[in-house]
Each structure stands twice: as C-alpha cells, then as structure tokens.
Amino acid sequence: MQDQQLFCLVFQSKKKGLSLEEKRTRLLDLFFETKDFYQLKELEKIAPKQKGITSMSVKDVLQSLVDDAMVDTERIGTSNYFWAYPSKALHARKRKIENLKSEVDELKKKVKRNEANLETANKGKEESSEREKLLASLEQKEKETQELKQKLERLRECDPEVLEEVKEKTLIAKESANRWTDNIFSVKTWCKRKFAIEEAAINKNFGIPEELDYVE
C-alpha cells in the first residue's frame, strides 16, 4: 500500500516551463560560451538544443536583450547579426539597476509627499466648501498613492537583493523538481523489475511524458 501511495504522489510533479528571465539568461550564456556571431535563424535552431529555449520564443527573448543593450546587433549585407560579451552585459545590467534605483527613490519621495498631503487633507472636520475640496483632493491623492505603491512594488522585482532571493528560490525549486524527477525514474525502474511492465505502458497509464527529463 505504501509503495502504491508513493507511486501516485511521484507523478503529481509536472515539468515547469522557463520564465522570460531564465530564457534571457540562457540565451546570454550561449553567446558568452561560444563568443560567436549569429543570425536569428541560427539561434532558433541552436537555442532549443543547447539551452532548452523553444524556437518560437527565441526572437522575442533576443529582442528584449537587444532593447536592454545586453546583445549587440548590426546589419551586414542583407542579414542581421547578433553577438554579446560578458563585460558589456555586466555594465548594461549595472546601468539598468542604477536607473531603476533612481526611479524607485523618486517614487518613494513622491509617495511621502502624497502621504503628507493626505495628512493635511484630513485636518479640519467642519462642514464647508473647503472641506469638500479637501475630501476630493484626499480621494485623488489616495488613488495616486495606491498607483505609485503598485508601481514601486513592480520595480522592487528589479532590486538586486530581490533578484538574488528569486535566484535562490529558483535553485531550490530546480533541485526539488529534479529530486521528484529522480523519484519518478526510481519508481519506474522498481515497477519494471517488480511487475515486468514495459516503460511505455507505465508512461501511458500514468500520463508520464516521454520527454520527461531533469531540469537543467
């Protein structure tokens, strides 16, 4: 009974696709490792095999790196070529982080100003036209403050400390996924030996993808 329960639990694990940031990192690694020039059609063939990036998403991922000045591009003849070097990518990341930090600082200052305005707007409870104006201003400031806080929260995702935390969580999730994948392979091996069942039959009965493999 315990073996059957373990067997059912193991197959609850599902292979998760790559996030945009993971695809960007892998595509950059391809440039850094090969130190070569590529055309888009070449990357659409190489990236899926070497970095696990689907060919359909290569163009968008590549364009995002070009937009962030982390990948260089130039038209030679009738073709566009792309390349990237680690040193330039590092500087580009640093510049982007510095710009985002400046924007975050400005947003924090604006939030504080709005909070001060809210405090002023809350003073004076007597019924008057001035109070009505203050209440209307308060409502507007509350709305603006909420929008700024939401934008600030989105920008927080680009903070180096947050990125490092996400990286650590990603590593933990990857190790966990691979551990479950290893468990699946172990259980499949056990079933084949114990019940003389073909692997294809196990995959079919339990909905296991034929391409199931460890997360790189």
Side-chain angles (χ1 to χ4, degrees), residues 28-161:
L28 271 180
D29 286 342
L30 176 61
F31 283 112
F32 296 165
E33 291 165 3
T34 60
K35 297 181 176 63
D36 205 349
F37 297 80
Y38 295 98
Q39 292 180 262
L40 174 59
K41 61 183 179 182
E42 294 175 324
L43 291 171
E44 289 175 336
K45 293 180 180 179
I46 298 173
K49 297 178 181 178
Q50 296 189 15
K51 296 299 178 180
I53 306 172
T54 58
S55 58
M56 293 180 63
S57 64
V58 170
K59 182 178 180 180
D60 291 338
V61 175
L62 180 61
Q63 186 59 51
S64 73
L65 293 172
V66 171
D67 293 342
D68 289 342
M70 299 176 73
V71 170
D72 291 316
T73 181
E74 187 167 332
R75 189 173 185 83
I76 302 176
T78 59
S79 302
N80 291 320
Y81 288 84
F82 302 87
W83 69 94
Y85 297 107
S87 58
K88 180 171 182 178
L90 177 61
H91 291 314
R93 283 182 181 273
K94 287 182 177 179
R95 285 197 302 272
K96 185 174 181 180
I97 289 174
E98 289 173 357
N99 291 337
L100 288 172
K101 282 183 176 179
S102 298
E103 188 172 350
V104 167
D105 290 339
E106 286 300 318
L107 286 172
K108 286 181 178 179
K109 292 177 182 178
K110 195 167 185 179
V111 167
K112 287 183 178 180
R113 289 196 298 269
N114 283 332
E115 287 176 344
N117 290 333
L118 286 174
E119 185 177 352
T120 301
N122 281 324
K123 292 179 180 179
K125 301 297 183 179
E126 63 278 7
E127 293 291 338
S128 66
S129 59
E130 182 65 22
R131 182 173 182 273
E132 291 178 358
K133 290 180 181 179
L134 288 174
L135 288 175
S137 177
L138 171 61
E139 183 179 354
Q140 179 62 32
K141 296 300 182 182
E142 285 179 336
K143 181 179 179 181
E144 184 177 353
T145 298
Q146 186 61 32
E147 292 175 351
L148 288 171
K149 285 183 176 180
Q150 291 176 354
K151 186 173 182 180
L152 183 61
E153 185 62 27
R154 291 195 297 271
L155 289 173
R156 182 176 174 273
E157 296 177 359
C158 297
D159 185 275
E161 293 182 1

